[in-house]
Amino acid sequence: TNVRARAQLGVVGTAQATAVFMELTALENAIVGARLRLREARGARAAFATPKARRELRDARAAALAALATVGLGEVPDILAGELPGAAQRRLMIAAALATEPHVLLLDEPAAGGSRAEVDLLADLVLELRASGLTILLVDHNLRLVRKVADTVTVLAAGRAIATGTLDEVTEDEAVLTAYVGARRI
């Protein structure tokens, strides 16, 4: 499926691996995300800078700046992405996704490799986004993050759902214990 088409439908996501344009600034990375939702500021309309295209580009920049502020990078828009630490690069990916102004945000392993403090910061961000009305689908193995943010947890084994419920419910589920811990002995 086309990334632009999904963005225009309001569904965007982040990659499991850190995927930012290292040679672009934080703001430029977020603008790349914002431009995914543009309809007028593409092709000939952008080349000839029609009034609608210019307005969309101004709106894209404003959305990118707002997204950077949301993820805690509002003070560093002119820093090259390659100069940001790993956790900030992952937040930059989230900012680029948020700049599309999505209805649904898919986060794939955003806590990967993060320290305890980084995971706590990420949890606060996810909770803030959820409180704003954004629907979030989170895929992560970090139980600290999952415990802090998830309403419902679905556990997969070999690509199929084996349990759904609260984190406490699924961690006590026999199918989950068998799949991830091994057979229980009495």
Side-chain angles (χ1 to χ4, degrees), residues 32-61:
V32 168
R35 289 187 62 134
L36 287 174
R37 66 181 171 81
L38 302 183
R39 296 183 188 280
E40 300 293 330
R42 299 190 340 234
R45 288 185 174 143
F48 292 109
T50 65
K52 282 185 178 180
R54 286 194 309 269
R55 184 176 56 251
E56 275 195 348
L57 290 173
R58 277 192 310 272
D59 292 348
R61 186 175 196 285

Side-chain angles (χ1 to χ4, degrees), residues 105-147:
L105 178 61
L106 312 172
L107 297 175
D108 190 2
E109 300 281 351
S115 69
R116 186 180 191 105
E118 291 165 345
V119 170
D120 289 344
L121 181 65
L122 179 62
D124 291 343
L125 173 60
V126 170
L127 291 171
E128 178 184 328
L129 294 172
R130 185 176 75 182
S132 75
L134 185 61
T135 299
I136 300 171
L137 175 63
L138 172 74
V139 176
D140 212 299
H141 293 92
N142 187 305
L143 292 183
R144 180 177 180 80
L145 176 63
V146 172
R147 183 170 301 285

Side-chain angles (χ1 to χ4, degrees), residues 67-84:
L68 287 173
T70 298
V71 302
L73 296 174
E75 300 298 317
V76 296
D78 298 322
I79 301 273
L80 291 177
E83 294 177 9
L84 294 170

